[in-house]
């Protein structure tokens, strides 16, 4: 049975974050839907943890926003 259309649970726009003066994340925008499996596949040291911390609210971005549902 098909699920009715639902709002995007989490989205972000214009996210930026610097580490020691270098942009680790620079104007990142994303949206994560409510169905399926999602993965972030990048090399080690490519700020996956920082992105997840910003997405969950543990770390505040220097610019941009994250909006939940």
């Amino acid at each position: 049975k098909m699920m009715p259309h639902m709002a995007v649970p989490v989205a972000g726009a214009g996210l930026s974050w610097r580490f020691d003066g270098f942009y680790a994340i620079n104007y990142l925008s994303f949206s994560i839907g409510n169905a399926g499996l999602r993965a972030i596949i990048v090399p080690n040291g490519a700020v996956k943890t920082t992105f997840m911390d910003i997405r969950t609210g543990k770390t505040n971005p220097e610019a941009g926003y994250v909006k939940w549902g």
Side-chain angles (χ1 to χ4, degrees):
K1 183 176 179 181
M2 301 231 7
M3 298 291 290
H5 176 72
M6 298 178 77
V8 174
V10 63
L15 295 173
S16 294
W17 191 80
R18 285 184 287 186
F19 180 76
D20 287 341
F22 295 98
Y23 278 99
I25 297 174
N26 194 16
Y27 300 110
L28 172 71
S29 296
F30 70 94
S31 63
I32 300 173
N34 57 6
L37 178 65
R38 304 292 185 260
I40 300 171
I41 302 172
V42 294
N44 287 339
V47 300
K48 293 181 293 287
T49 301
T50 301
F51 169 70
M52 296 304 287
D53 288 349
I54 289 173
R55 189 184 67 84
T56 60
K58 182 177 178 183
T59 299
N60 292 321
E62 292 183 8
Y65 68 89
V66 175
K67 182 178 178 182
W68 287 88

